[in-house]
Amino acid sequence: MARVIRTRRSVRHYRPDPVPAPLLRELTELALEAPSSFNLQARSIVVVAGEEGRQALTRATGGQPHPKEAPVMLVFVAESAAWREDRGDIWETALKGGAWSGRFAAASPEDARAFYEDPGRRGLEREYAVKDAMIAASFLMIAAQAAGLATSPMNGWDEDEVKKAIGADGRDDVHIALLMPLGYPAETRLHPGRRDHALTCFDESYGR
């Protein structure tokens, strides 16, 4: 696992070879194994492999090469209203699987609402959901690297245009957390290095 993490690079150019459907399904399933606040799973992945969708994402990113070349684009969507919705299937699954007690499962919806009311008042619902989506994206990047595929977490896109591309136009309850091309690399990128560990990892208090 250490080798997989240390050798992963952000790749901008991709071969046109398609990603096999079973592998793509496995990678998205692994990504969605990521933890989330209160297990609300307030994140989704939109898999965009069609030409029209990838062209729309290319326009949304200002013509960057990633979505133009990669056979698959993944859009990580954060769902800020998840705590307000009925997510009874989550509690039921945890209860049936023995992961949660009946008492814990019964209390979870109200506990989640009580927890999220404060960030909701402070306008932090989006931030909390984006965190969950980013954790899922990180899981997928590592899983893809282990499978011999390349990725690149993308910034630099128009959120409204991305929403249009994935059929979420006008939705204020969903937010674009990350765009990620997925495919076989057409380039080899060297490790650019990381700052000295002592400059970025501290004991007990920041900066010491």
Side-chain angles (χ1 to χ4, degrees):
M1 182 55 66
R3 181 193 61 79
V4 171
I5 292 174
R6 292 182 189 280
T7 56
R8 192 213 64 81
R9 302 270 70 80
S10 293
V11 169
R12 293 195 176 98
H13 298 287
Y14 295 82
R15 305 203 311 261
D17 313 52
V19 177
L23 177 56
L24 182 56
R25 174 62 182 260
E26 181 181 25
L27 292 176
T28 53
E29 287 182 348
L30 289 171
L32 295 173
E33 286 289 334
S36 62
S37 178
F38 280 89
N39 198 34
L40 281 174
Q41 301 168 51
R43 70 290 183 271
S44 297
I45 306 170
V46 180
V47 179
V48 181
E51 183 67 24
E52 182 179 349
R54 288 189 296 112
Q55 285 182 1
L57 291 176
T58 299
R59 292 191 295 271
T61 60
Q64 295 186 59
H66 317 46
K68 189 182 303 181
E69 298 180 13
V72 177
M73 283 294 296
L74 303 173
V75 181
F76 288 82
V77 177
E79 301 160 352
S80 61
W83 67 280
R84 302 174 184 271
E85 300 168 354
D86 177 11
R87 300 226 162 185
D89 60 303
I90 293 174
W91 327 129
E92 184 179 346
T93 298
L95 182 60
K96 283 185 176 179
W100 293 358
S101 69
R103 181 177 180 180
F104 188 89
S108 289
E110 183 56 37
D111 288 347
R113 281 193 293 272
F115 175 83
Y116 274 96
E117 280 177 354
D118 179 60
R121 285 192 298 267
R122 293 187 290 145
L124 296 177
E125 292 172 302
R126 181 185 188 278
E127 179 178 332
Y128 277 54
V130 166
K131 289 175 183 176
D132 285 351
M134 294 298 291
I135 297 172
S138 296
F139 269 47
L140 194 140
M141 283 191 290
I142 300 305
Q145 178 71 18
L149 293 166
T151 57
S152 179
M154 288 186 68
N155 279 317
W157 28 264
D158 184 302
E159 181 158 3
D160 289 338
E161 289 300 316
V162 174
K163 285 185 179 182
K164 288 179 184 177
I166 63 170
D169 189 23
R171 293 282 302 273
D172 293 331
D173 60 324
V174 298
H175 318 276
I176 308 305
L178 196 71
L179 268 61
M180 185 185 298
L182 175 72
Y184 295 97
E187 63 176 351
T188 300
R189 298 182 68 85
L190 299 178
H191 197 312
R194 294 292 184 263
R195 299 188 77 194
D196 188 276
H197 188 265
L199 296 174
T200 52
C201 186
F202 310 108
D203 292 329
E204 307 299 340
S205 59
Y206 176 72
R208 297 183 181 179

